[in-house]
Amino acid sequence: GVAIDLRLDSAKPLVLQGEQGLSQKSAEPGNASYYYSLTRMPTTGVIRLGDDAFEVGGASWLDREWSTSALGEDQLGWDWFSLQFDDGRELMYYQLRLADGSADPMSSGVLVAKDGRTRRLGPDDLRIEVLDTWQSPHSGGRYPSRWRIFAPALGLDLEIVPLLADQELQTSVRYWEGAVAVRGTQREKKIHGHGYVELTGYDRSSRSAE
């Protein structure tokens, strides 16, 4: 009873994440991925729900990432953000979480300018603060549910809010992945946008399965 028929075009050049597409996830050899992104893809088409058809339009984000391994032994999971601002820029950042609750120095990201130019970001460039949490009634896992991303060097001060709290995926490995709204400022100028967040390692059953 549900169908999609969408056309996606690329508005910006391909972004090679990490070092020319090699994204290191820990200091251990082999814990890396090949990773590229198309951060803004004008999208049009039709979504059908039963007998109802809706013409839609927006901007999609495509990621391709593959690896033989990802996390190191002392890493619990990651918080991954992909954000599209209304001014034509995008921000991707993943924070790898260590067992002691701190951020791994290998955490990384990129800011994509309106013209496609990129600026790599590391853990010294921004800070992620959890403002609220949500506990899943399905798994019992407790996830961050609202964030502040503060990047002084970029002049960015953002608040990230889920469009709805319950976006936990009930797969063989449970994790939270869903749509968010973005609002904030850059050097006192207001910024709005939308994005996507992925949270892993917060559900105990998922960690035991891994």
Side-chain angles (χ1 to χ4, degrees), residues 22-26 28-34 65-70:
L22 181 63
S23 176
Q24 191 74 30
K25 297 301 194 293
S26 83
E28 300 171 24
N31 282 350
S33 68
Y34 289 109
E65 187 172 16
W66 62 99
S67 64
T68 54
S69 64

Side-chain angles (χ1 to χ4, degrees), residues 12-13 15 17 37-41 60-62 84 90 112:
K12 289 188 174 183
V15 175
Q17 305 288 5
S37 306
L38 290 168
T39 59
R40 189 171 295 261
M41 304 185 72
S60 298
W61 180 304
L62 182 145
Q84 295 174 327
E90 298 85 42
V112 184

Side-chain angles (χ1 to χ4, degrees), residues 36-93:
Y36 69 84
S37 306
L38 290 168
T39 59
R40 189 171 295 261
M41 304 185 72
T43 303
T44 57
V46 177
I47 294 178
R48 297 185 182 276
L49 302 174
D51 295 330
D52 297 320
F54 303 91
E55 292 188 4
V56 296
S60 298
W61 180 304
L62 182 145
D63 269 358
R64 287 288 180 266
E65 187 172 16
W66 62 99
S67 64
T68 54
S69 64
L71 294 179
E73 291 185 0
D74 60 341
Q75 295 173 328
L76 291 180
W78 61 79
D79 305 344
W80 176 83
F81 298 83
S82 61
L83 310 176
Q84 295 174 327
F85 304 130
D86 290 348
D87 63 8
R89 296 177 301 158
E90 298 85 42
L91 172 68
M92 186 284 292
Y93 193 80

